[in-house]
Amino acid sequence: MIDAKTSTLLLVSQSDSIKAKFAAYITLNDQIDVSQGFQLRSQSTRYPLESLAPSLPTFIDMPALSQTPEVIECLGQERISTLPQGAKISQFMSRFQDGREFPAEIATMMQANEASAILYFIATDRPFRQHVLQDLSLLMMLTKPLIVILATDRQVNTETEQGPYTAVWSTALSDLGLPQVSINLSDGRFLARCHFISSLCNTSPPLKALLSPLIDSYRELRQIQITAVAEILAQFIMDACQHSVRESYPKDGVPDSLKARTEDEAMLRLTQKLEADLSTMEARAWGEIAKVLKLHSFKPQIDQIAAILKESPNSLFCQTTWETFGLSQTQLLIGSTIMGAMTGGAIDASVGGASFMIGTAVGGIFGALTSAAYALGNDKGFKLGLTKGYFTLGPVGHPNFPWILLERGLMVIADLSKRSHACRIAIKLGSPGTHPRLRDKLSHVQAFKSRMPWLPDRSVKARWMELIIGVAGEYEI
Amino acid sequence: MNSSRAHLADLFDFEVQVLREDNPPSPTTLARDEAIGQRMPTDRRSSWSQLAFWLEEVKHATDRTWPGKSILEIYRYTAAGMFTLGIVTGIGTTRTVLHTNSRPPIDIFHWLGLFFLLPLLLTLITLSTLIVSKLRSSRRDPFAPWYGPLGALVTQKLVAWLMQRYQKTEFSTLIHRFHVLHTALLRAKVFQLLQVFGIAFYSSTLAYLLYRARLTDMAFSWGTTMTEDPSTMSRIIELIALPFSWLIASPTQELIAASRYTNFANTYATANGAEISKQWWVFLAAVTATYGVMPRLILLFAGQLSIARYLQNLRWDDHVSTALLRRLAWARTQKILSGAKGFNTKDPGSQDELSGAGLPRIPCLIIKWRNVDISEGFIAANVTTPYHLSANYIYEAIGTAAERKWLVETLTQPIAPRTVVILIDPWEFPGHALSKISAAMRTSSSYPLTILYAPVSENPKYRLYQQEELTMWQAAIKELDDCYTGLLTDYGAMP
C-alpha cells in the first residue's frame, strides 16, 4: 500500500532549469528559481504538494547528472561488470558513498531507494545527444519505475505545441521501451495540466494511485479561484460605479465673469483625478486577481497608472477602450429600455397600478434616449456638480462603463489563468482580438435578460458574480 | 612607461581596471581596445609594455581615481608603523634585560638568548624554508623561498578574512585575483614588513645598549649550574664571535673567568670581576649587530631584489591579460596588414600573413564535448580561423576516466599546447565532469594551462554569439573562479 503522503517522485535531468520549471508548473508556484546557470549544485530540493492537498506526494529535484559516462565506465570495470545489476549499484554506492567523487549520481541512487518513481526530463528544444541515453541506462539499473518527460517551454500558439525535436527524441528513446509523456511547460491552462497528470497516471498503476488525487485538487482549486476572482471583479465594478471625487469651491466665491473658466479648470482637474483613481482601482483589482491565481510576479504598475492614462492603448480611459469594449449600442439601448421600464414599473407599483403602466413606458423611453445619447456621443458620462461648497465629479454615468470594466477584467482573468507558473517572461495582457467579445458572449447568457445589475445594491454583487462565473467558461477561464 | 618591468603601483592600477572592465567585453570596449591597439607603437614588444601602454591610454581617456600610488602610500605608512613598533618594543625589551638594580648583575645569557639565539633560529628557519622551497618550487611561486612559515600564515589568514569580509563585492574579486596570480608578491611584501620590524627592533636594541654603555655604569656577569670550566664558556663565546672576530676581538679568557658570578656567594669569581665585566658590552653589541640587524637587512634587501625580479618576469598569462593582449595584437596586426594591400580574412593566405605581422597562431588542443554536433569545416570557419588558432589535436570527450588519462598524458609531453579550447553545446554549462577534466589537465602541466570555453552550434538558433547565452556563460565562468579560464570570444575575432 503506497502512502501518498510520504511518497516521493524524483525529478532527474541534465538540466536544473527544466526540472525547476516543472516544479513551478505542477505546484503552481511562480517564485521557484528557474534560471539556467552553473550546475555544481549538490543538494536536492523538495517540492511538496501539500499546499494543494495533504495526501499528495513530494517531488524531489535532484542535482543535475553530469558524470554518468564515468559512472557507467566504473560499473563496466572487470570486478563489477560480472555482478548482477543490483549488486553493481550497491558496490558502486559503497565505494563512493561519501559523495565527493560523484555527488549528483550518488545522491540520486540513494534517494531512488525510497522513491516511488523517477521522472527523467529531456528538453525537446535541444537536439538529440547520444550521451543522454547513458543517463537513462544508469537510471534503468535502479529498478524503479522510470518515465521520460519530453518537455518544452515554447510559448503556446496551439494546444499541441511541442518542442522542435520531440519526434527525434521520441524515436531515439523508443528502443529503450520507456514510457514517454510530453508536456509544454508554457501551457498553464487547467485542462492542459490535468491532461498531463492523466497521461502520467496512465504510465503505471503506482503513479495513478499517487497522482490521480492531484487532478481533483486542481479542480477544487480552480472552483475556489473562479469564485474568488469573480468576487474581486464584482466588488471592483460596484466600487468603480459608485466612485466620485471632489474639491472645495473657492471660499470667497468666484466673479460671474470667471465662473465658466473656474468650472472648466475644476472639471479638468477632477476628470484627471477620477480617471487616475479608477485606473488605480482597476490595477489593484487585477493585482488581487493575480494573487488568487498564485501569480506573484504580476504587479501592475499602480504608481505609473496616471502617466499612462491616455497614452497607452490598453488604458481604461483611452478612446479606443470606450469604443471597443463593453456592450454594443443595441445592447445598451435594450438594456436602458429595460432599466427605465423597471424604474417606471416601480413607480407604477408604488401607486398601486393607477398609472396604468405609463410609468413603465415613459421610463423605458427615457432610459433608451439617455443611452442613445451616450452611445452616439463621446461623452463618458462625467458631470461636474456643485454641492455644499465642493465641486464633485462622478460616479461615471455612462451605461457601458460597468461592462467595459467587466470585459477588461474577464480578459485579464483569461490571460492570467492561462499563464504557466513556469514562465518568467513579463506577463503580456492580450489585445481584444485574442479574446471572445463580451457583447457576443453575453447574448447567450441568461443573466443579461434579467435586470441590469448596475445600481448600488447589495444583492447586485451576487448577480455580478453569477454573471462572471457564467461567462467564464466562454473565456476558457 | 616603455619598460618590460611592471611597477607595483601600475600593477595595482591594472588589476583595478580589470575589475572595472565589462565582462564580457562590450562592443564599446572592443572598439576602444582596437583603437588603442592600432595606436600602439611597434617598439612595444613585451607583454607588460603593451599592457602599460593600454593602461596609460585608458587613464588618459577616463576621469577616475587610480589607487596604485595610494596603496603604496598605505604600505609605506604601515611599514613606518611597524618600524616604530619595532623601536618601541626593542627599547622596552632591552631596558628589561639591562635592568641594573637587580642582583646578580646583567646576565649575558639573557642577552644572548634574545639577541643571538632567537634571531639565529628565525634566520635558520627562513633559510631552511628557502632550501625546501627551492627543491619543490614551481615557476608560479618564485617567492617560495622568502615568505617563511610566519609570513605564509599571516597572509593566508589576512586573505581569508578579507575575502569573507568583502565577499560578493568587487573588492573580493580583486583580492581573489591577487591571491591567485600574485600571492607570492603579497607574501613577500608581508615578509618585508616583518623584516622592517626586526631591523627596527634589533637596531633600537643596539642603539639603547650603546646609549646605556655611554651614559651609565653597567656590570655584566654569567653563571651556570652545569659546568665549572670557564674554558668551555670561552669556546662557546669564540664560536659566537666567529663572524665578527676579524673586526672585533672576542672576549678574553680572563674576562670570561673574571665575570663569572656565583649566586651563593653573591659575588664575582675575582675581586675585580665587576670592573672587568664592563668590557662585555662590545661583544654584546657585535652579537646584536651580527645576528640581529645584519640578517634582517640582508633578507630585506634580497626580498626587494626578488620582488623586482618577479615584476620583471611576470608572464601575464591569466585569461583576462591574455585576451586583452590578443585583442591589442590583432588590432595592431590588422593595421599593419590593411595598410599594405587589400586584406581578405577569407583568404587562406591571410593566416600566414597575420602570423608574419606579429599575431602568432595559438597552438591549442580542441575538445569536442559530449557529442557537440559540429563539423570540421565549421570548426575551421568559426573557431580556428577567426581566432587564429592552430589545432594540434581535436579530441572528442564525454567525461570518462580514460579520456582524462589521455588528456593528461598528451598535455604532459614537452611540446604540448598550453591552451585548451572546449567546444560545447550552449546549454551544457560546466558541471562536475568538466571540472574534473579541467583539474586533471591543470595538474599535468607545470605551466598555467589556459582553458577556453566556446559554446558553439551549427544550428542558427544556438549560434555562437547569441547574447543571452553569452551572458549566462560569463556568469558560469565567473562562478568557476579560475583566473585561467574564460570564453574564447573574449579574444576578439576577425570580423
Side-chain angles (χ1 to χ4, degrees):
Chain A
M1 179 74 175
I2 297 173
D3 181 0
K5 201 172 172 182
T6 57
S7 291
T8 56
L9 297 170
L10 298 194
L11 309 181
V12 182
S13 178
Q14 291 200 356
S15 157
D16 277 333
S17 172
I18 204 88
K19 292 180 282 147
K21 283 183 181 175
F22 174 78
Y25 179 86
I26 280 291
T27 57
L28 308 179
N29 181 352
D30 68 344
Q31 293 184 310
I32 292 174
D33 182 10
V34 301
S35 55
Q36 288 192 63
F38 189 37
Q39 295 165 8
L40 274 188
R41 182 170 68 98
S42 56
Q43 302 294 326
S44 58
T45 310
R46 299 178 81 92
Y47 297 110
L49 288 167
E50 57 196 11
S51 58
L52 291 169
S55 61
L56 291 171
T58 297
F59 288 101
I60 303 182
D61 179 2
M62 302 308 300
L65 298 179
S66 69
Q67 299 184 81
T68 316
E70 193 173 347
V71 173
I72 303 269
E73 189 186 28
C74 280
L75 294 173
Q77 282 170 359
E78 208 175 303
R79 52 196 173 91
I80 299 181
S81 62
T82 49
L83 297 172
Q85 262 193 10
K88 274 189 203 176
I89 297 293
S90 302
Q91 186 87 323
F92 179 85
M93 283 175 68
S94 64
R95 188 175 158 198
F96 297 105
Q97 61 186 347
D98 59 8
R100 276 201 305 240
E101 194 78 18
F102 302 100
E105 290 72 22
I106 291 290
T108 302
M109 287 175 186
M110 286 171 67
Q111 203 68 48
N113 279 338
E114 295 152 16
S116 302
I118 302 173
L119 306 181
Y120 184 84
F121 288 80
I122 292 175
T124 54
D125 297 333
R126 296 167 185 174
F128 171 74
R129 289 288 181 263
Q130 186 69 31
H131 66 87
V132 171
L133 299 183
Q134 291 194 312
D135 283 0
L136 291 167
S137 302
L138 178 64
L139 292 172
M140 284 165 77
M141 291 188 206
L142 301 181
T143 62
K144 288 284 172 170
L146 174 61
I147 298 103
V148 177
I149 311 292
L150 300 173
T152 180
D153 56 2
R154 287 162 74 90
Q155 279 305 110
V156 180
N157 288 321
T158 67
E159 286 186 7
T160 56
E161 187 89 32
Q162 293 298 330
Y165 299 100
T166 305
V168 174
W169 278 103
S170 191
T171 308
L173 293 168
S174 57
D175 290 340
L176 293 175
L178 291 170
Q180 303 170 27
V181 180
S182 296
I183 184 173
N184 189 329
L185 295 170
S186 287
D187 187 353
R189 293 174 301 131
F190 161 74
L191 285 174
R193 211 175 315 120
C194 290
H195 174 73
F196 167 75
I197 297 293
S198 194
S199 304
L200 204 55
C201 289
N202 290 339
T203 59
S204 77
L207 269 186
K208 186 166 189 173
L210 281 176
L211 292 178
S212 49
L214 184 55
I215 298 177
D216 298 329
S217 300
Y218 283 148
R219 195 168 283 127
E220 214 176 289
L221 178 65
R222 181 170 176 269
Q223 287 308 314
I224 294 170
Q225 286 178 333
I226 288 177
T227 307
V229 301
E231 184 176 354
I232 292 169
L233 185 57
Q235 187 63 53
F236 160 64
I237 293 172
M238 287 174 56
D239 291 342
C241 288
Q242 296 171 61
H243 187 71
S244 61
V245 292
R246 69 179 191 179
E247 70 176 32
S248 53
Y249 192 80
K251 279 185 186 157
D252 300 329
V254 176
D256 287 345
S257 59
L258 292 175
K259 258 193 187 151
R261 187 172 144 192
T262 305
E263 283 175 8
D264 287 346
E265 286 169 0
M267 179 69 170
L268 184 64
R269 284 193 298 272
L270 287 175
T271 301
Q272 285 175 347
K273 188 167 189 322
L274 182 64
E275 288 178 353
D277 281 359
L278 291 171
S279 298
T280 302
M281 287 166 68
E282 184 182 55
R284 203 167 278 134
W286 293 358
E288 286 173 25
I289 288 170
K291 266 192 210 162
V292 167
L293 297 175
K294 297 178 185 284
L295 289 169
H296 302 90
S297 56
F298 179 67
K299 287 185 177 59
Q301 302 275 336
I302 292 177
D303 296 341
Q304 295 166 14
I305 290 294
I308 62 166
L309 267 181
K310 290 208 168 71
E311 286 73 32
S312 165
N314 287 332
S315 72
L316 175 56
F317 287 98
C318 76
Q319 198 55 37
T320 323
T321 298
W322 284 72
E323 287 169 0
T324 316
F325 289 95
L327 301 180
S328 64
Q329 291 183 11
T330 311
Q331 287 169 329
L332 282 175
L333 278 169
I334 294 172
S336 297
T337 307
I338 294 173
M339 192 63 231
M342 285 191 299
T343 307
I347 295 170
D348 291 334
S350 69
V351 298
S355 63
F356 301 105
M357 303 300 285
I358 293 173
T360 303
V362 169
I365 293 167
F366 182 76
L369 287 174
T370 310
S371 181
Y374 281 126
L376 294 172
N378 285 336
D379 188 1
K380 290 190 175 72
F382 290 6
K383 297 282 183 288
L384 186 71
L386 180 59
T387 316
K388 293 180 185 173
Y390 287 93
F391 281 123
T392 60
L393 188 69
V396 177
H398 199 295
N400 206 13
F401 182 57
W403 301 103
I404 292 172
L405 298 179
L406 173 63
E407 183 161 16
R408 283 166 62 87
L410 286 169
M411 277 172 44
V412 165
I413 295 170
D415 282 337
L416 292 179
S417 62
K418 288 188 187 89
R419 163 87 169 179
S420 165
H421 293 75
C423 278
R424 293 293 176 269
I425 56 175
I427 296 178
K428 205 174 168 185
L429 298 177
S431 59
T434 61
H435 292 284
R437 298 309 318 279
L438 181 66
R439 60 191 62 172
D440 298 329
K441 295 302 173 187
L442 266 191
S443 60
H444 301 296
V445 178
Q446 192 64 28
F448 179 75
K449 294 180 181 163
S450 64
R451 247 172 60 180
M452 282 197 44
W454 67 311
L455 289 178
D457 180 347
R458 277 180 194 262
S459 63
V460 170
K461 181 175 174 181
R463 277 204 284 279
W464 273 115
M465 284 179 63
E466 188 188 327
L467 175 64
I468 292 165
I469 292 169
V471 80
E474 303 288 341
Y475 282 79
E476 297 178 4
I477 291 170
Chain B
M1 235 197 312
N2 188 5
S3 157
S4 62
R5 196 189 89 175
H7 296 283
L8 263 183
D10 294 331
L11 177 63
F12 281 114
D13 288 344
F14 176 77
E15 291 294 341
V16 166
Q17 182 56 27
V18 161
L19 273 189
R20 290 170 176 167
E21 293 282 286
D22 303 323
N23 194 14
S26 63
T28 315
T29 303
L30 292 174
R32 178 204 66 191
D33 292 345
E34 189 179 339
I36 293 174
Q38 292 189 349
R39 288 198 297 272
M40 191 175 301
T42 49
D43 62 347
R44 297 262 177 166
R45 295 197 182 278
S46 71
S47 296
W48 171 246
S49 63
Q50 293 179 26
L51 291 175
F53 179 82
W54 173 86
L55 185 63
E56 252 180 80
E57 293 286 305
V58 168
K59 281 183 178 181
H60 285 143
T62 56
D63 182 25
R64 280 178 133 155
T65 53
W66 296 94
K69 287 190 177 139
S70 306
I71 292 174
L72 288 187
E73 275 299 307
I74 293 171
Y75 180 82
R76 284 187 204 111
Y77 284 128
T78 308
M82 293 293 278
F83 192 82
T84 308
L85 187 65
I87 290 174
V88 167
T89 47
I91 291 175
T93 308
T94 314
R95 280 191 66 181
T96 308
V97 174
L98 296 180
H99 189 53
T100 53
N101 287 341
S102 65
R103 290 245 174 219
I106 300 164
D107 193 335
I108 63 166
F109 280 147
H110 292 166
W111 188 275
L112 290 176
L114 275 173
F115 305 118
F116 157 68
L117 193 60
L118 178 61
L120 179 65
L121 278 175
L122 288 175
T123 306
L124 286 175
I125 288 170
T126 303
L127 288 176
S128 63
T129 311
L130 162 77
I131 293 164
V132 169
S133 299
K134 270 287 191 195
L135 292 174
R136 286 200 274 166
S137 73
S138 73
R139 291 193 57 186
R140 287 195 215 190
D141 194 358
F143 280 119
W146 299 112
Y147 48 73
L150 186 58
L153 182 65
V154 170
T155 48
Q156 202 176 346
K157 294 288 181 200
L158 181 63
V159 165
W161 177 77
L162 285 170
M163 291 193 66
Q164 174 66 28
R165 172 75 174 83
Y166 294 102
Q167 62 178 311
K168 293 189 184 167
T169 64
E170 280 189 342
F171 187 51
S172 78
T173 308
L174 180 67
I175 296 165
H176 179 71
R177 269 188 66 87
F178 263 95
H179 183 52
V180 170
L181 300 176
H182 309 298
T183 190
L185 179 65
L186 294 180
R187 285 173 178 163
K189 296 304 282 184
V190 171
F191 184 74
Q192 278 194 318
L193 285 176
L194 296 176
Q195 302 319 303
V196 163
F197 173 84
I199 290 167
F201 182 87
Y202 291 112
S203 301
S204 61
T205 297
L206 182 61
Y208 190 75
L209 174 64
L210 295 174
Y211 156 75
R212 285 289 304 273
R214 186 80 180 112
L215 297 178
T216 64
D217 192 8
M218 293 189 292
F220 298 93
S221 67
W222 65 276
T224 176
T225 312
M226 299 185 89
T227 177
E228 302 211 358
D229 184 2
S231 63
T232 308
M233 180 64 176
S234 180
R235 278 197 289 276
I236 294 171
I237 295 298
E238 272 177 22
L239 206 57
I240 293 172
L242 200 57
F244 53 82
S245 55
W246 58 277
L247 188 63
I248 297 167
S250 59
T252 59
Q253 285 222 1
E254 187 198 352
L255 168 60
I256 293 169
S259 54
R260 186 169 181 177
Y261 196 88
T262 314
N263 265 339
F264 290 119
N266 229 0
T267 183
Y268 281 96
T270 60
N272 60 346
E275 188 59 36
I276 293 177
S277 74
K278 291 178 187 178
Q279 295 168 31
W280 275 108
W281 77 267
V282 179
F283 169 74
L284 296 179
V287 160
T288 306
T290 305
Y291 293 97
V293 179
M294 289 306 297
R296 310 271 99 63
L297 274 175
I298 293 169
L299 285 173
L300 182 70
F301 182 65
Q304 193 60 29
L305 283 179
S306 290
I307 290 174
R309 201 169 62 235
Y310 175 83
L311 291 173
Q312 175 82 32
N313 295 333
L314 264 177
R315 282 180 300 167
W316 307 102
D317 55 5
D318 63 288
H319 173 68
V320 170
S321 306
T322 309
L324 174 57
L325 286 167
R326 190 76 179 163
R327 294 199 297 273
L328 294 173
W330 158 238
R332 194 156 71 164
T333 308
Q334 192 183 21
K335 184 186 172 190
I336 293 169
L337 289 175
S338 63
K341 60 180 179 181
F343 181 63
N344 182 3
T345 60
K346 302 281 186 249
D347 181 353
S350 67
Q351 299 301 314
D352 294 326
E353 284 172 334
L354 283 172
S355 301
L359 185 73
R361 266 204 150 137
I362 302 176
C364 63
L365 181 153
I366 291 183
I367 296 176
K368 285 176 68 176
W369 182 248
R370 295 218 164 148
N371 319 125
V372 62
D373 189 17
I374 51 174
S375 59
E376 303 263 338
F378 181 89
I379 295 176
N382 292 279
V383 179
T384 52
T385 302
Y387 294 97
H388 203 46
L389 307 176
S390 165
N392 291 21
Y393 306 91
I394 297 181
Y395 185 65
E396 299 204 14
I398 58 170
T400 62
E403 289 163 357
R404 276 206 304 278
K405 192 171 167 221
W406 183 91
L407 287 166
V408 168
E409 282 168 3
T410 305
L411 291 170
T412 315
Q413 289 170 16
I415 51 167
R418 293 190 206 170
T419 303
V420 173
V421 176
I422 301 177
L423 305 183
I424 188 169
D425 280 319
W427 55 84
E428 281 269 353
F429 294 102
H432 288 287
L434 270 173
S435 295
K436 264 184 172 170
I437 282 192
S438 302
M441 288 193 294
R442 288 225 185 283
T443 56
S444 70
S445 171
S446 58
Y447 291 93
L449 189 72
T450 299
I451 296 175
L452 301 174
Y453 287 92
V456 290
S457 178
E458 297 215 33
N459 185 331
K461 184 179 182 295
Y462 299 110
R463 200 40 70 97
L464 179 58
Y465 302 110
Q466 248 190 349
Q467 190 54 43
E468 188 190 309
E469 269 155 358
L470 264 182
T471 309
M472 286 195 285
W473 267 95
Q474 277 296 339
I477 297 291
K478 202 171 172 184
E479 285 222 32
L480 286 173
D481 225 8
D482 182 346
C483 295
Y484 296 91
T485 295
L487 286 183
L488 179 60
T489 47
D490 293 345
Y491 276 30
M494 284 194 281

